[in-house]
Structure formats: structure tokens, C-alpha cells
Amino acid sequence: MPQIVEFPERPYLGIRKTITMTTFGVVGDRIAGMIGWLAERGVALTGAPFFRYDSIDMAADRLVVQVGVPIGVPVEPDGDMFTDVLPAGRFVTTTHHGHPDQLPGVIDTMLKWAEAQGLEWDMTRKDGTEHWGCRLELYPTNPLDAPDPNDWDIDLQFRLA
């Protein structure tokens, strides 16, 4: 069951790419390298790696997505990496246990729950594209510990207006 949680600002190291649903690996495959880069510098993660959806245009199969890893200390980014902060605020959250392919149904249930509660998202629509203030998928399960994606936990956190 979704719930509303207040989160503080959360700093992170990220990479942003424009992708399609079939080219998700362009960002997803960068997580391990970012974690390794931070480990080489003695920087520990302060939470789960995540995808942050900046804009979604499903009709055109075009998404602007960030991959991020939360950090507690400042770092000087390298290459196409950058540092930023997830905004503070109220988020609708839910956890899914299972394969990421099942997320569309989980997201649909969460969106309908929020609509029934009369909640408004930190999101605007323009020309068929959703522009999100902060829409997150967090992956707390380490794939080295659970290589089968059916055994993963995935947290969704969508910021409210």
C-alpha cells in the first residue's frame, strides 16, 4: 500500500541520458562504474542507487533519465558525471518485490491510489511529455547478492506538488 513520506534533500552523483525503453542499459549499465569510482575515492553510498525520470514521452518512446548514487560528502565529478541534490518534500512511496518488468502495473496502482486521495504530483505536461520534479526508482537489492531480478526490491518515490 502506498504511503506519504517526507524526505530531506539528498545529495547524489549522477549521469543523465536521453534513452528509449529498449536502450535503458545506456544509463543502467553505468551504476557499477559510478559505485567503483566513488569507492576508489573512499566515498561511501548513503542509500540505494536510483533512476530519476526527468521527462517521459511514451508515445515517442523518449525518456530523459538520470542514474544516481546518493553520497554524503562532496566530490568533484569526472567526465559526464555531475553532482546534484534530490529535492526535499513529500513523496508517495511504495515497494515492489519482483522483476522490474512488473513495474508498470505497480506504478499504475500507485498513480490511481494518489488520484483517489486527491493528491497532485510535482509534474507538468507539455506536448504529450511528462516533466517530473522528482520521480525515482530506487534499487536497494545488490544484484551480486540476488542475481535473479525476481528477487529484487524496488522502491518507488514520486514527489508531490
Side-chain angles (χ1 to χ4, degrees):
M1 178 66 119
Q3 59 182 335
I4 298 173
V5 177
E6 183 91 23
F7 287 107
E9 287 187 340
R10 296 170 278 174
Y12 67 97
L13 178 71
I15 295 170
R16 178 182 292 111
K17 298 286 182 190
T18 300
I19 62 168
T20 67
M21 290 302 288
T22 58
T23 61
F24 231 93
V26 170
V27 288
D29 292 346
R30 300 289 302 274
I31 294 171
M34 292 171 63
I35 292 170
W37 185 88
L38 288 167
E40 289 171 3
R41 287 152 183 80
V43 178
L45 273 59
T46 58
F50 60 84
F51 293 110
R52 180 177 183 180
Y53 294 81
D54 292 335
S55 64
I56 301 170
D57 182 347
M58 292 307 286
D61 193 21
R62 182 179 181 277
L63 303 99
V64 178
V65 178
Q66 299 177 36
V67 62
V69 289
I71 54 175
V73 297
V75 296
E76 187 63 36
D78 221 10
D80 62 350
M81 293 186 281
F82 62 88
T83 56
D84 201 351
V85 176
L86 297 174
R90 294 176 346 125
F91 288 73
V92 173
T93 70
T94 195
T95 298
H96 165 66
H97 180 79
H99 200 286
D101 288 350
Q102 298 167 342
L103 283 176
V106 176
I107 291 168
D108 186 56
T109 298
M110 190 168 105
L111 295 173
K112 287 177 180 172
W113 177 87
E115 182 180 351
Q117 305 298 313
L119 301 172
E120 292 186 35
W121 301 114
D122 179 13
M123 185 267 294
T124 57
R125 283 184 175 44
K126 182 177 180 190
D127 300 327
T129 301
E130 297 176 350
H131 300 275
W132 287 84
C134 195
R135 177 177 168 159
L136 304 171
E137 280 177 24
L138 297 95
Y139 288 79
T141 304
N142 183 339
L144 297 176
D145 297 334
D148 182 351
N150 291 300
D151 295 329
W152 292 359
D153 287 326
I154 303 166
D155 298 329
L156 301 176
Q157 300 176 356
F158 295 8
R159 187 167 183 240
L160 293 168

